[in-house]
Amino acid sequence: MRSPLRIGLFGGSFDPPHIGHLLMVQDVRDQLALDRLLVIPAAQQPLKGSEQTPAAHRLAMAQACFADIPDCIVDPAEIERGGLSFMVDTVADLRRRWPDADLHLLVGHDVVPTLPRWKDIDHLLTQVQLVVMDRNGGGVGDHELVHGGVQARRLAVRRVDVSSTEIRARVATGRSIRGFVTDAVATYIASTGLYRENSRVRAATDS
């Protein structure tokens, strides 16, 4: 009997995607032996500000950032659906595409306290294996209890102190972002004029 597909789900604003995102994806892919990893840019994250870089730009940057990682696919499902992006709706869509897949939802450790505010979180956690990515390194256990006593798997990922907020601020003030993002993403930002001081792109705080 063929084993079910093991699919990782990594959502976020990716405004812009940076080297920290890239390394986390590679660490998780290696440790979980995933068949494929879906990077899912949000159309609009419910728990963040209403202003953000247009979805088409964020999608293009994500595609540029993750293009060279084997079995990593940038999935436009939430952007195509539009409106507020709720992971429970995305997982429902994925279940229709891959009804028997093992879905592994990847979240940062700092996201765990926000889970009670997620739409239909109790139902969502019955549909996925929650994987908590911990950037603090040593001493990480195999599992931890999260919302409602659900057991999540913890994975140590490399700590890279880079944020999308910092990158936007550096661009806005004319500083280099070399080493903060991939060359492809840096080229896209430069060619489109994103994040410059006279741009209408917002600079709200995110990770």
Side-chain angles (χ1 to χ4, degrees):
M1 183 176 178
R2 187 175 181 179
S3 298
L5 282 175
R6 294 171 57 82
I7 301 176
L9 314 177
F10 185 33
S13 297
F14 303 109
D15 193 11
H18 53 66
I19 200 69
H21 293 134
L22 187 67
L23 292 175
M24 279 193 289
V25 161
Q26 294 191 93
D27 283 344
V28 168
R29 179 179 170 274
D30 292 344
Q31 292 183 64
L32 292 182
L34 298 171
D35 294 302
R36 64 190 65 173
L37 197 157
L38 304 183
V39 173
I40 310 171
Q44 171 62 53
Q45 288 200 330
L47 302 184
K48 293 189 177 180
S50 60
E51 295 182 5
Q52 62 181 3
T53 304
H57 286 309
R58 293 185 290 104
L59 177 62
M61 287 189 290
Q63 290 168 335
C65 180
F66 300 103
D68 294 330
I69 300 181
D71 304 313
C72 182
I73 302 167
V74 176
D75 192 318
E78 292 188 348
I79 288 174
E80 290 177 351
R81 191 166 65 237
L84 293 177
S85 298
F86 297 106
M87 184 55 69
V88 68
D89 298 331
T90 301
V91 167
D93 289 342
L94 295 174
R95 280 287 173 214
R96 287 188 281 271
R97 291 157 63 182
W98 296 293
D100 299 320
D102 289 336
L103 302 181
H104 299 260
L105 177 59
L106 314 175
V107 300
H109 197 266
D110 57 333
V111 171
V112 172
T114 74
L115 291 177
R117 299 165 59 194
W118 287 34
K119 178 183 175 182
D120 295 339
I121 184 60
D122 295 317
H123 175 67
L124 173 62
L125 293 178
T126 68
Q127 300 298 304
V128 299
Q129 168 66 59
L130 189 67
V131 178
V132 178
M133 301 179 290
D134 195 316
R135 294 184 291 181
N136 293 321
V140 178
D142 288 335
H143 297 88
E144 69 170 295
L145 296 181
V146 293
H147 177 78
V150 170
Q151 192 175 71
R153 181 170 180 177
R154 294 182 76 188
L155 291 182
V157 296
R158 277 167 285 196
R159 183 178 184 88
V160 181
D161 290 324
V162 176
S163 74
S164 297
T165 302
E166 180 183 8
I167 293 166
R168 294 194 300 270
R170 291 183 69 88
V171 175
T173 54
R175 289 175 290 168
S176 172
I177 56 172
R178 184 179 179 84
F180 289 76
V181 298
T182 65
D183 289 346
V185 172
T187 297
Y188 187 90
I189 291 171
S191 66
T192 57
L194 292 178
Y195 311 129
R196 293 177 185 170
E197 284 188 330
N198 61 353
S199 170
R200 294 183 180 179
V201 176
R202 71 98 174 94
T205 300
D206 68 8
S207 60

